[in-house]
Amino acid sequence: MKTLIIDLNNFSRYPTLSVGYAASILRGAGVEVEIFSPLTVGVAGYPRKTRPRPWGMYDHWLRYWSATSSSQRVRRMRKAVVHRVRPTNDDSTQRILDGATRAMTSDVDVILISAYTMYFDVCSRICEAAGNAGIPVCVGGPYFSQPEIVEDWLPLPGLTAVHSGEPEMDLVDLVESLAAKDVSRLEQIAGISTSAKPVPNAAPLTHLDQIPFPDFSDFPWEAYPNRIVPILTGRGCGWGVCTFCSDVVTSSGRSYRSRSPENVLAEMKEQHERYQSRLFTYLDLKLNSDLAVWRGLIESTPSIVPQATWTASVHVGAKDDQGLSLAELKKARKAGLVRMTTGLESGSPRMLAAMAKGTDPERTSEFLRNAHQAGITMRMTAIIGYPGEEPSDVEATTKFLEAHQEYVDRIVLSPFALQLGTPFHRRFEKDPAAFPQISNVRLDRRTATFDHVNSTVQSSAHRKAAFGLIRMVHRINRKPHTQYSKEFEGVM
Ligand code: B12
Ligand code: SF4
């Protein structure tokens, strides 16, 4: 039996974890697997933020202004421009379709597509081609955890089923039922929706150590600038309550579960040997969620992979032990941790409380100084325009960054996004009157976000404060590359 996996995550810096897991599980059960990656037909992944050009500040301001404009026309024009430069544009869609169709040879029994919602158009054309060739198709991915997305995709002609949740334990059964075109067996699988029967997500996986290590052997390693291996030590986030966060409502992010430190270290060793790589990126939303894993990594990595270099995301919680003391950060640096990312989101305690961020600017400040002293470069995310934000809150973020510019390498500043399924969205859905700042709300199912007008950001005082913040962000982002930020440029 042969399964074709189409990877529409398609990142340009390293292989896709979910696809590596699927390949490994299916091969382990004797299923023949072929992977189609759009990189092999010259379609670049989604662009990630890199060092801006000197004039980038004005470009940033224009993008911010057009994203938050109250004029629908301006926002529509912005979307059209963005569409043209993305790998979902017409040229890329055609190339992906041609490549995927070529891969649908007569010996393919089943097609699995792993997709972001932005790839709806190309998926619909792939499904149609598969339907014409009589090959069953199942689609899955992070955002199929949301019923609105499942409902949108299910009617696609040629699509047999949508999967919501983590399919690892059922994947072989899933592929066999699809190949046998046995719909009643297929519908027994948790998380499988068919046009006849949309269902809720499969329950989150519990015994993560039972999953085999991902197989990245089919990925076009020569297409990446260097060999970075992605690893995930757990699913979800140990904090998990930030109101704006869509990561913790995705298929694999819905609750926090962890692997054992031994299992993670064994994977690191095996992947190092298989792919001759010493570069790793941990995809965990909060690598310091389970302190036994975090401490296991900073303790044992040097003996497992000497001279390993790696990156991670952490959450600097205001309370309790976070595993991020100066001594621990120094140890982490010695173990190869060269770049971390963490969410500042705002420098205003009032906004952090509104977001349920669980952080405190003073503690974050201490953390940044310590990380810098330990020699770890730092990337931070920040949000502008969270509903109810005053110009003085924006100024607090600018001041925080100004005071810490020496310790921070890159800032990703994003306008508040109302994302489908987030705690903010579900609250808004129940009681829109509680958020008088938000109006003209319309779901864009292709991006799983709601277009809306946010009056918080429309005043000239807020715009002025926003410009000051963008200027500060630009100053930080213009810092020259360090050796390590170069190695992981565009990764995080
Ligand atoms: C790590 C990560 C990245 C990494 C690597 C991405 C990659 N391609 O490997 C980086 C940082 C590069 C990145 C970039 C971007 N990302 Co990203 N990323 C994530 C993150 C945090 C984890 C993804 C991951 O590996 N999870 C672990 C694996 C095991 O889980 P999974 O992918 O969900 O797969 C499981 C299930 O979904 C399912 N599954 C997956 N595919 C299939 C297929 C079938 C047939 C079946 C049955 C099941 C199935 O099985 C898997 C195992 O359980 C998610 C958030 C999240 N919590 O998922 C966002 C997320 C996937 N990213 C997102 C976005 C928007 C982006 C960007 C476009 C952002 C940007 N503008 O820069 C870029 C695009 C990158 C690209 N494709 O080129 C969105 C996707 C939203 C959407 N509408 O679909 C997410 C969900 C974040 C969010 N909450 O908004 N990302
Ligand atoms: S700490 Fe990060 S991943 Fe965790 S809930 Fe908050 S924003 Fe989401």
Side-chain angles (χ1 to χ4, degrees):
M1 191 193 357
K2 182 168 170 183
T3 298
L4 170 65
I5 306 180
I6 298 177
D7 176 16
L8 297 182
N9 299 270
N10 196 44
F11 186 38
S12 51
R13 291 302 311 268
Y14 51 79
T16 305
L17 194 62
S18 55
V19 171
Y21 273 124
S24 174
I25 293 165
L26 292 175
R27 284 198 175 120
V31 176
E32 193 188 338
V33 173
E34 185 182 329
I35 293 177
F36 169 67
S37 161
L39 291 178
T40 58
V41 290
V43 176
Y46 258 75
R48 297 283 295 170
K49 294 236 160 46
T50 51
R51 186 173 180 237
R53 311 263 167 144
W55 59 88
M57 186 176 77
Y58 298 101
D59 180 39
H60 192 165
W61 172 252
L62 190 66
R63 279 185 285 119
Y64 171 74
W65 170 81
S66 56
T68 58
S69 168
S70 58
S71 154
Q72 273 201 25
R73 215 168 127 227
V74 170
R75 294 205 311 274
R76 262 205 309 273
M77 270 164 62
R78 179 182 198 275
K79 276 201 164 188
V81 173
V82 168
H83 173 75
R84 231 174 288 147
V85 298
R86 288 274 157 100
T88 42
N89 65 19
D90 297 344
D91 174 52
S92 299
T93 297
Q94 191 58 48
R95 278 203 238 179
I96 296 173
L97 180 65
D98 292 346
T101 317
R102 268 198 307 276
M104 286 180 208
T105 47
S106 57
D107 56 344
V108 170
D109 300 291
V110 171
I111 297 176
L112 299 181
I113 307 178
S114 181
Y116 283 11
T117 55
M118 296 76 139
Y119 287 98
F120 181 88
D121 290 343
V122 70
C123 266
S124 85
R125 292 170 68 185
I126 293 173
C127 290
E128 203 181 326
N132 291 338
I135 310 172
V137 184
C138 177
V139 77
Y143 241 110
F144 293 97
S145 58
Q146 299 306 313
E148 292 87 343
I149 300 295
V150 176
E151 278 162 24
D152 189 35
W153 285 59
L154 268 185
L156 283 182
L159 177 63
T160 319
V162 171
H163 184 273
S164 314
E166 297 152 288
E168 283 88 330
M169 300 306 166
D170 296 321
L171 203 55
V172 177
D173 194 12
L174 169 58
V175 163
E176 284 174 359
S177 335
L178 281 169
K181 302 189 178 165
D182 184 343
V183 177
S184 55
R185 181 177 163 196
L186 188 64
E187 287 177 344
Q188 299 298 312
I189 298 172
I192 281 291
S193 297
T194 60
S195 56
K197 190 171 149 270
V199 300
N201 290 285
L205 286 182
T206 41
H207 302 295
L208 299 181
D209 280 1
Q210 288 174 6
I211 305 170
F213 301 151
D215 176 351
F216 299 129
S217 54
D218 308 78
F219 282 86
W221 284 97
E222 66 291 344
Y224 304 119
N226 51 9
R227 287 175 164 256
I228 298 176
V229 176
I231 301 186
L232 190 65
T233 76
R235 306 277 166 108
C237 164
W239 175 246
V241 292
C242 301
T243 56
F244 58 84
C245 179
S246 52
D247 285 343
V248 292
V249 299
T250 57
S251 289
S252 65
R254 292 164 294 150
S255 64
Y256 181 67
R257 297 134 292 146
S258 181
R259 293 163 61 190
S260 67
E262 297 73 28
N263 186 257
V264 175
L265 288 161
E267 176 176 342
M268 199 177 195
K269 185 168 175 356
E270 188 157 330
Q271 303 295 47
H272 158 65
E273 284 161 4
R274 280 189 199 164
Y275 306 114
Q276 297 92 48
S277 176
R278 291 177 198 282
L279 305 178
F280 299 91
T281 184
Y282 284 95
L283 298 189
D284 296 71
L285 301 169
K286 167 175 177 169
L287 189 60
N288 60 332
S289 290
D290 179 336
L291 292 181
V293 172
W294 165 249
R295 293 196 167 115
L297 285 178
I298 64 180
E299 190 68 48
S300 307
T301 296
S303 61
I304 300 283
V305 182
Q307 276 121 41
T309 308
W310 46 284
T311 66
S313 306
V314 296
H315 171 246
V316 190
K319 292 195 189 126
D320 310 324
D321 177 13
Q322 300 291 321
L324 301 172
S325 65
L326 176 59
E328 282 161 312
L329 291 171
K330 283 185 173 167
K331 197 178 232 180
R333 177 65 193 84
K334 267 201 178 142
L337 176 58
V338 293
R339 164 153 289 206
M340 271 189 287
T341 184
T342 195
L344 171 66
E345 319 310 359
S346 173
S348 154
R350 195 179 76 86
M351 295 324 293
L352 292 174
M355 295 173 188
K357 185 67 202 172
T359 55
D360 155 50
E362 272 181 35
R363 186 135 191 210
T364 305
S365 167
E366 185 193 347
F367 162 75
L368 291 177
R369 288 165 205 273
N370 288 343
H372 183 70
Q373 198 181 327
I376 300 169
T377 65
M378 186 59 60
R379 168 192 186 266
M380 297 187 102
T381 52
I383 296 173
I384 183 162
Y386 189 85
E389 184 184 65
E390 299 290 340
S392 58
D393 298 310
V394 181
E395 281 155 19
T397 308
T398 310
K399 274 196 194 120
F400 184 93
L401 292 179
E402 186 171 18
H404 297 87
Q405 51 185 310
E406 184 186 339
Y407 315 120
V408 183
D409 248 43
R410 294 284 181 266
I411 307 282
V412 178
L413 174 68
S414 314
F416 169 71
L418 208 174
Q419 285 193 259
L420 176 66
T422 54
F424 185 96
H425 163 228
R426 295 302 176 201
R427 244 189 258 164
F428 177 80
E429 203 176 29
K430 270 199 200 118
D431 185 14
F435 301 95
Q437 310 87 345
I438 305 284
S439 60
N440 294 20
V441 179
R442 196 185 61 87
L443 177 60
D444 176 351
R445 288 172 201 265
R446 302 296 165 263
T447 56
T449 55
F450 289 87
D451 286 336
H452 64 279
V453 173
N454 179 357
S455 67
T456 293
V457 298
Q458 308 295 341
S459 73
S460 57
H462 197 285
R463 292 246 182 251
K464 192 169 163 224
F467 190 70
L469 178 55
I470 287 173
R471 193 166 42 210
M472 177 51 61
V473 165
H474 181 70
R475 188 190 297 171
I476 293 175
N477 286 345
R478 278 291 296 158
K479 282 189 188 179
H481 289 299
T482 60
Q483 175 197 344
Y484 298 121
S485 64
K486 218 172 198 170
E487 210 146 49
F488 290 100
E489 178 75 349
V491 171
M492 67 154 50

